[in-house]
Amino acid sequence: MSLRDPGDATGARRPGRRRLAPLVLVAALLLGLSVPAAVTPAGAVQAEEGPVGLTVESLTPGVATAGTELQVTGQVENSAREDLRDVEVRLRLSDTRLNSRTELASVVAGVTTSRDGSVVVSADLPDLAAGESAEFSLSRSVAELTSLTEFGVYVVGIEVLATRSSGFGRVAIERTLLPWVPPQQTMRPTGYSWLWPLVANPVRLADDTFADDTLAEEMAVGGRLDRLVEAGARLGEGAALTWAIEPALLSAAADMADEDGYVVRERDGTEIPGTGGLLAARWLEKVRAATLATPVVALPFGDVDLTAVHRAGLDGDLRASLELGRDVVDELLPGASDVSDTVWPVDGFVNAATLAVLRRAGVRTVVLDGRAVPPEIDLSYTPSGRARVSSRAGALTGILGEPGLADLLGGRGSDSLLSSQRFLAETAMITSELPSTGTERTIVVMPPRRWDPDLAYLNRLVDVASRAPWMAPVSLPALAGQEPPEVDRRPLRYPKQQRDRELPDTYLNALSNMHTSINVFASILTDRDALVPQLERSVILLESSWWRGRSQDRANRLVRERSYLADLRDAVRIQPGNFTFSSRSGTIPLTVANELTQEVVVDIRLEPQTPRLRVEDIAPLTIGPQTKLQIEVPAEAVAGGPVVVDVGLRTPSGTPYGQPEQLRITITQYGTVALWITIAAAAVLFLAAGVRVLRRVLGRARRGHRDAPGLAEESTGDTDDTDDTGDPDAGETPVGNRPAAQTPERAP
């Protein structure tokens, strides 16, 4: 491969190209077309860019300084169906520096092509048949690049030209950016402060097992969490870095590293041993070494979705996540410099009501996306990442992440080299906006919360960022102590897209119900610390911002955790049964089971559905661990027959515990009151029946005596013959006893 001088590259042409150029120009004039800006000075047209792959493999140095040599290497691949002939690779450099970050973005997006500049070096490549590729290397001494004058960012273009069926012209171009620092310059470095996140998904379950073993994968050498710790430790050597660590991740790592190991519970309930014990121990030691005497911001435990949790009325969980997070960081990272009064809400956005709750909970500094409190007017420069943020509970110190840099880190392309070079150029452009302010202006670099950069990107980013001469380290605590600049900012805003991304209300209401169930369960325990903290922690983990946009995953986790809580509550229960009550008073046998590993205190309430049975109250019972206690409940029968009794457990304070059971009791004996009433009623019935029988017998006897011969004559004057019963219904009065006046007189 031969290299040519820039003058030769722009003026010398192969015979075929010289013959082709006039024809193209004539055709353009006849058609009334203008020659595109990208056409070469010799008149060759810009060919339509086809399927030709151009890969930039290296660009050195990342920052051009005096005495260095600019070198670009890469590869050209012909993915077209036709051959490429007369292949040439050129290195272009803009004639002047870029003027703004807006212009920089336009260049990278390909919207602005006027900055392609002049060719500084070129090289010929062999003809490429379809599917073939060739490597290239272009270099030029920086001292020979006369366009590099002022401090700032210049455009570097790698261009491929070739002849194909449509003619000779550009078939591919890749633009990147090159900061230039002259040997004599008056630029003062701008302050830069990095917030470096270590956040993972919530894998811990309420029963202290792990939902999966993904943390082991991420902590392994080359895994996401391992890459972030390694890169953060290196960056911290030359830059001001504050770690933002999710405490539940530290807690999980410590449990994984325990000598007893840990258990992974698969979805079907199968328990398998975890495989990441040694990996977690090694990773945790790396974190401790990297954070030694370094500022650490403890995120809320579980990375709780603060605004959604407050909106659902779960402020207790909000405060608990803050306190628990600080405690875990203090315990597991004792050598770190804890920034205990600082909170970084998810994505750097929080609404005003939640901010006031945070302020009342002791938070004094809040890390926000710069768009949360934007400047009142459009500025021609990037303002400092420091502001005063108002809330109804008082003012807070605002640390504002630079939005453009945050978007670059979160939405970088697939090319690690070009992405890292773009980030480096953006920081240089920020300094070039106000090159004399120095650290009076400090920019906060805030990568995404669950950042997952590849190793090549991290390595290059750390290498160039830690040595960039326009970046001065300013720690986050030092920035918080500075007075905010005189930049008028709008009130705190919470974008609709953030509201739409929050955990839904129905889901959080289910978590609120879980809290109620946990509180009822806790009230019967004699040792709350054995189970309750894990249950409350599981609810906080279910409130993690990790579950945003993962509706099915969070629903599955909620079902698992509620099922476990239900099993714990059902471990204390009354065993149902059917009984026969065979006496006026006695006892009903009951069995209360406690399958927990600790004592519980419960009350039993029996409520008959009918008044046939009366039961006495029972004093609260203490039931030993893994014990079945049989008790006799005093009762008194009022009437016979079947009785259904609702039997339920209560907490010592009288709150119902679980669903009541039903006992079916058959009463075969009466109670005392019912027995005497029954006896009295039976006696009256028997007496009445006896009287009626006696009357009938006596009546028949009188009628038989009256019908006998001679009985009437003997009875005519007998006025003393009366009915012994005295009952007029017992028989008729004898005729001889009737008064004479009442005797009808017969006609002659």
Side-chain angles (χ1 to χ4, degrees):
M1 180 184 301
S2 62
L3 299 181
R4 292 196 300 273
D5 182 84
D8 178 58
T10 56
R13 283 285 173 263
R14 299 174 186 174
R17 296 181 187 175
R18 284 196 294 268
R19 290 193 298 269
L20 177 64
L23 295 176
V24 173
L25 290 173
V26 171
L29 292 172
L30 291 175
L31 294 173
L33 300 175
S34 60
V35 180
V39 173
T40 62
V45 300
Q46 176 185 352
E48 180 183 356
E49 296 185 14
V52 176
L54 173 59
T55 303
V56 180
E57 297 176 347
S58 71
L59 171 63
T60 57
V63 178
T65 57
T68 59
E69 184 175 27
L70 178 62
Q71 183 176 34
V72 179
T73 65
Q75 180 175 277
V76 177
E77 181 179 5
N78 181 14
S79 303
R81 296 181 180 179
E82 58 178 323
D83 296 347
L84 295 180
R85 295 175 289 106
D86 308 324
V87 182
E88 182 182 352
V89 183
R90 296 175 171 181
L91 183 64
R92 289 180 171 274
L93 183 66
S94 60
D95 298 325
T96 59
R97 67 174 187 173
L98 297 175
N99 295 316
S100 67
R101 296 179 68 187
T102 301
E103 186 181 25
L104 185 153
S106 297
V107 168
V108 173
V111 176
T112 300
T113 60
S114 59
R115 287 292 196 164
D116 286 347
S118 305
V119 177
V120 295
V121 66
S122 65
D124 293 332
L125 295 182
D127 293 345
L128 298 176
E132 290 185 343
S133 61
E135 295 182 349
F136 66 87
S137 177
L138 304 173
S139 63
R140 191 72 184 264
S141 172
V142 171
E144 298 174 341
L145 303 177
T146 57
S147 60
L148 297 179
T149 55
E150 299 177 275
F151 165 73
V153 178
Y154 294 75
V155 181
V156 173
I158 300 93
E159 180 184 40
V160 180
L161 299 98
T163 300
R164 51 183 178 172
S165 59
S166 57
F168 176 80
R170 178 187 293 170
V171 294
I173 187 170
E174 190 74 72
R175 298 178 181 89
T176 187
L177 305 159
L178 180 69
W180 158 248
V181 180
Q184 288 85 29
Q185 46 85 20
T186 59
M187 172 267 297
R188 295 175 58 199
T190 303
Y192 277 85
S193 187
W194 290 75
L195 192 66
W196 201 259
L198 287 180
V199 185
N201 59 315
V203 296
R204 296 291 299 279
L205 299 175
D207 60 1
D208 273 339
T209 61
F210 286 64
D212 54 54
D213 217 2
T214 54
L215 286 186
E217 300 173 7
E218 294 192 339
M219 292 175 182
V221 177
R224 184 183 72 89
L225 291 173
D226 182 70
R227 296 196 305 269
L228 288 175
V229 174
E230 292 276 1
R234 289 173 49 212
L235 181 61
E237 295 174 358
L241 183 140
T242 298
W243 296 86
I245 302 180
E246 202 278 284
L249 170 60
L250 294 178
S251 179
D255 287 347
M256 291 170 65
D258 188 83
E259 60 182 9
D260 294 332
Y262 65 102
V263 174
V264 176
R265 185 183 298 276
E266 298 183 332
R267 291 204 171 183
D268 61 359
T270 304
E271 294 185 357
I272 60 175
T275 60
L278 295 177
L279 295 173
R282 182 188 63 86
W283 182 83
L284 194 56
E285 284 304 315
K286 282 187 175 182
V287 175
R288 287 174 176 148
T291 58
L292 188 64
T294 303
V296 172
V297 171
L299 298 180
F301 190 89
D303 191 24
V304 165
D305 192 345
L306 296 175
T307 304
V309 167
H310 166 69
R311 200 188 302 277
L314 297 171
D315 287 351
D317 285 0
L318 185 152
R319 288 186 288 268
S321 67
L322 295 176
E323 295 172 3
L324 183 57
R326 293 165 186 155
D327 292 343
V328 170
V329 169
D330 289 343
E331 177 186 356
L332 297 180
L333 301 179
S337 176
D338 185 17
V339 187
S340 59
D341 63 347
T342 301
V343 167
W344 179 20
V346 58
D347 293 339
F349 289 95
V350 65
N351 67 4
T354 306
L355 188 63
V357 175
L358 294 172
R359 179 66 174 78
R360 296 187 191 102
V363 174
R364 296 296 179 265
T365 302
V366 59
V367 180
L368 299 173
D369 187 292
R371 287 164 287 207
V373 281
E376 284 281 4
I377 61 175
D378 291 336
L379 302 175
S380 60
Y381 63 93
T382 304
S384 182
R386 172 74 171 85
R388 181 175 287 108
V389 182
S390 300
S391 79
R392 290 192 294 265
L396 294 90
T397 297
I399 301 296
L400 308 181
E402 208 291 307
L405 298 180
D407 291 346
L408 282 179
L409 294 173
R412 65 177 185 80
S414 57
D415 193 305
S416 299
L417 186 149
L418 299 181
S419 298
S420 58
Q421 199 67 20
R422 165 76 184 277
F423 178 87
L424 187 67
E426 289 278 357
T427 61
M429 279 297 308
I430 290 172
T431 299
S432 69
E433 294 168 342
L434 295 175
S436 60
T437 56
T439 55
E440 296 173 10
R441 185 172 57 133
T442 297
I443 308 301
V444 179
V445 184
M446 189 174 68
R449 218 171 190 77
R450 294 175 177 86
W451 200 22
D452 188 14
D454 60 49
L455 185 59
Y457 177 76
L458 271 177
N459 287 339
R460 182 169 178 84
L461 183 68
V462 169
D463 288 341
V464 296
S466 59
R467 297 197 301 266
W470 57 85
M471 301 174 72
V474 176
S475 69
L476 203 69
L479 174 61
Q482 294 179 1
E483 284 296 320
E486 296 297 328
V487 175
D488 293 333
R489 291 186 177 270
R490 300 175 187 174
L492 181 71
R493 59 187 294 267
Y494 190 68
K496 181 180 181 301
Q497 55 266 36
Q498 287 293 325
R499 175 67 177 95
D500 294 341
R501 293 182 61 195
E502 288 179 14
L503 295 177
D505 294 338
T506 52
Y507 172 76
L508 292 171
N509 289 338
L511 299 185
S512 179
N513 293 335
M514 275 190 71
H515 268 307
T516 302
S517 184
I518 291 171
N519 291 336
V520 172
F521 175 64
S523 63
I524 72 170
L525 302 177
T526 57
D527 182 11
R528 289 175 53 96
D529 293 339
L531 289 171
V532 177
Q534 292 89 328
L535 293 171
E536 292 176 340
R537 180 196 66 193
S538 72
V539 177
I540 290 177
L541 292 178
L542 285 168
E543 295 165 350
S544 172
S545 63
W546 164 264
W547 303 113
R548 284 184 169 193
R550 295 179 169 90
S551 58
Q552 189 58 53
D553 291 339
R554 68 174 177 249
N556 293 338
R557 178 67 64 84
L558 178 61
V559 168
R560 292 179 70 173
E561 298 296 68
R562 286 202 298 193
S563 176
Y564 174 68
L565 176 58
D567 290 343
L568 287 178
R569 291 192 52 162
D570 291 344
V572 181
R573 65 188 184 278
I574 291 178
Q575 294 184 341
N578 299 326
F579 308 99
T580 299
F581 201 70
S582 58
S583 62
R584 293 179 302 173
S585 62
T587 58
I588 300 174
L590 292 178
T591 300
V592 184
N594 173 23
E595 297 176 355
L596 299 175
T597 57
Q598 63 169 284
E599 286 184 342
V600 297
V601 179
V602 294
D603 191 6
I604 300 179
R605 188 71 56 87
L606 287 83
E607 296 180 354
Q609 294 183 0
T610 58
R612 293 191 180 112
L613 189 68
R614 291 187 301 211
V615 296
E616 297 183 10
D617 293 335
I618 306 171
L621 303 173
T622 300
I623 307 173
Q626 298 181 335
T627 300
K628 290 184 178 180
L629 179 65
Q630 293 184 342
I631 61 173
E632 304 288 337
V633 182
E636 182 178 0
V638 176
V643 178
V644 176
V645 180
D646 292 327
V647 183
L649 293 177
R650 304 263 176 154
T651 68
S653 62
T655 303
Y657 183 88
Q659 296 298 321
E661 297 286 350
Q662 289 188 338
L663 302 181
R664 301 186 180 276
I665 301 176
T666 302
I667 301 175
T668 59
Q669 292 291 336
Y670 299 143
T672 302
V673 175
L675 182 61
W676 283 111
I677 293 174
T678 302
I679 292 174
V684 171
L685 289 174
F686 277 115
L687 180 61
V691 169
R692 293 184 65 86
V693 170
L694 181 59
R695 285 177 178 174
R696 290 177 182 175
V697 170
L698 292 177
R700 290 192 185 113
R702 289 192 185 98
R703 285 194 298 272
H705 178 71
R706 187 172 54 246
D707 294 340
L711 181 60
E713 290 80 2
E714 296 176 359
S715 304
T716 302
D718 189 2
T719 58
D720 296 331
D721 189 10
T722 59
D723 185 359
D724 292 338
T725 66
D727 188 348
D729 293 332
E732 295 180 342
T733 304
V735 175
N737 291 338
R738 294 175 182 174
Q742 297 178 4
T743 304
E745 191 173 335
R746 296 180 181 272

